[in-house]
Amino acid sequence: FGNSLSNSESVLFKALDSSKELNILQGKTPIISVTIDINKNSIASIERNGTIRLWSVKNLPNYQILPLPPAAYNSISFNNNGQILAIGGGNGEIILWDITRKNFVSLPKTKEAVNKVIFSPINKDILVSGYDDGKLRLWNLKQGNSPH
């Protein structure tokens, strides 16, 4: 590539060239989705069999399996303070797991599968979800969990 790379591209390729694997976290079935909290304290993963593992970076390789109802979960995301984990399912349900209290609530179900959930990087109370029907729903979790 030589002279055809910009400075930022050169920096990126140098970083990639010096990259190395730090650790392997082993689940039981294929991984469907993974997320890391903004504070780098936890990693959460969804496996094809519906298992959701919460890994503490400080206690690797130990993990906790979240005691959620069995379902085909598709997507997982931490909010920007790492306290809430949103989990979207093929059954149209979004589950909000409270990391500290170790309990969950569900948002109102839709008829369409939830393919993606992601929190706003600016506001910890705003969640965006994407569906099979091509719709995006915006949720303000501080205002009664209703879509906007």
Side-chain angles (χ1 to χ4, degrees):
F1 296 99
N3 296 333
S4 64
L5 295 178
S6 70
N7 280 344
S8 59
E9 289 170 328
S10 294
V11 169
L12 174 63
F13 277 105
K14 285 179 185 174
L16 290 174
D17 201 28
S18 64
S19 297
K20 65 179 182 175
E21 186 176 277
L22 297 176
N23 208 331
I24 296 176
L25 307 177
Q26 184 65 52
K28 302 292 182 202
T29 63
I31 301 297
I32 301 300
S33 184
V34 65
T35 187
I36 188 165
D37 80 343
I38 194 112
N39 302 312
K40 309 268 190 292
N41 292 328
S42 298
I43 299 169
S45 64
I46 298 174
E47 296 179 25
R48 180 166 290 146
N49 67 1
T51 300
I52 298 174
R53 294 178 196 273
L54 186 60
W55 310 81
S56 170
V57 174
K58 295 175 185 173
N59 292 326
L60 292 177
N62 298 328
Y63 59 84
Q64 166 191 0
I65 294 178
L66 300 189
L68 295 176
Y73 300 113
N74 296 329
S75 182
I76 194 165
S77 177
F78 281 104
N79 72 343
N80 66 6
N81 69 6
Q83 295 304 305
I84 301 294
L85 192 58
I87 303 152
N91 63 355
E93 186 173 33
I94 297 174
I95 293 173
L96 302 173
W97 177 264
D98 186 312
I99 300 292
T100 305
R101 294 185 183 126
K102 299 185 188 295
N103 64 3
F104 70 92
V105 297
S106 296
L107 297 180
K109 255 186 178 181
T110 63
K111 293 178 183 178
E112 298 293 326
V114 182
N115 294 321
K116 181 72 177 169
V117 291
I118 189 163
F119 279 96
S120 163
I122 298 166
N123 184 332
K124 66 180 174 48
D125 296 317
I126 301 296
L127 177 70
V128 180
S129 52
Y131 296 81
D132 268 355
D133 61 3
K135 291 179 183 170
L136 294 175
R137 287 183 172 83
L138 304 175
W139 303 85
N140 185 334
L141 303 181
K142 210 169 198 169
Q143 295 180 354
N145 301 338
S146 60
H148 295 271

